[in-house]
Amino acid sequence: MNFAERVKKIEEMLNEDWFEMLETNEDEYEEWRGRLEDHAEQVVGHYDNETGVDMDSVDKLLQLNDEFPLLYGEDTVRLYIALIEARPEDKSVYERYIDYLAAIGDATHEAFLRFHTLVEAGRLEEARGIASQMPKRLGLED
C-alpha cells in the first residue's frame, strides 16, 4: 500500500465502532489497535522512503492523528514541517502545529510564545523559518 492508501485505511479504521469494541471486547480492541498502529508505522516509513508524497494525504493523516493519536514526537513534527513547507501561506497549518506543540511542550515557554506571536501576526515566513527548530527550542529534543 502506498502512503495515500494507508492514510485512507487508517481513516476507515477510525470510522469503525472502535469505542464499542473497547467497552465490550478488549482483546478485539487490542488487535484492532495493533493493526492501526502498524498502518501508522508503515505510513511514516513510506513518507521517509518516498518523494513527492501527496500533501493532502499528509494533511489528512495529521488531522486523523489529532483525533486519535498514533504518531508521536519527531514523526508528527516532521510531517507538520513538510506540510508547512508545502503550504507556506496556510495559516491554519501553523495554528494546528502550535496546538500540537502546546500539547507536548510548555505553552508558556518564551520560544513558544514568540512562535505563536509570529503566526498570530501573520508573519508566516518568519514562523516558517523557525518551525523546524521549535521542538529543540522548547527543550523537547537534544
Side-chain angles (χ1 to χ4, degrees):
M1 253 186 251
N2 70 24
F3 189 94
E5 290 168 338
R6 284 204 187 271
V7 170
K8 186 166 179 55
K9 183 64 178 171
I10 289 169
E11 182 176 22
E12 289 169 3
M13 288 183 72
L14 289 173
N15 285 328
E16 292 176 15
D17 203 0
W18 61 269
F19 192 78
E20 184 177 317
M21 237 188 290
L22 177 61
E23 290 183 336
T24 60
N25 188 337
E26 195 170 325
D27 290 339
E28 183 181 5
Y29 171 79
E30 291 300 327
E31 186 270 331
W32 173 86
R33 175 76 189 213
R35 285 186 292 127
L36 193 62
E37 289 175 352
D38 287 345
H39 281 298
E41 288 174 16
Q42 290 297 318
V43 86
V44 171
H46 272 120
Y47 180 76
D48 288 341
N49 298 324
E50 294 180 359
T51 57
V53 171
D54 175 37
M55 283 297 131
D56 289 339
S57 294
V58 171
D59 193 21
K60 184 65 177 178
L61 178 61
L62 287 168
Q63 289 172 7
L64 292 171
N65 199 58
D66 288 344
E67 297 169 24
F68 194 101
L70 290 166
L71 304 172
Y72 303 96
E74 62 186 53
D75 289 336
T76 305
V77 168
R78 190 170 60 245
L79 291 173
Y80 268 114
I81 299 306
L83 196 57
I84 286 170
E85 291 299 321
R87 298 180 185 162
E89 302 305 318
D90 187 347
K91 189 175 181 182
S92 69
V93 175
Y94 294 87
E95 290 168 345
R96 287 175 28 221
Y97 183 49
I98 286 169
D99 290 344
Y100 178 73
L101 291 173
I104 64 168
D106 178 3
T108 63
H109 193 285
E110 180 183 327
F112 177 85
L113 296 172
R114 171 151 169 65
F115 184 70
H116 188 269
T117 301
L118 288 173
V119 172
E120 286 299 308
R123 296 167 51 190
L124 302 182
E125 191 168 320
E126 288 176 67
R128 187 172 127 227
I130 63 171
S132 65
Q133 302 162 10
M134 287 307 299
K136 189 170 191 157
R137 288 182 178 192
L138 296 174
L140 299 171
E141 59 183 46
D142 299 328

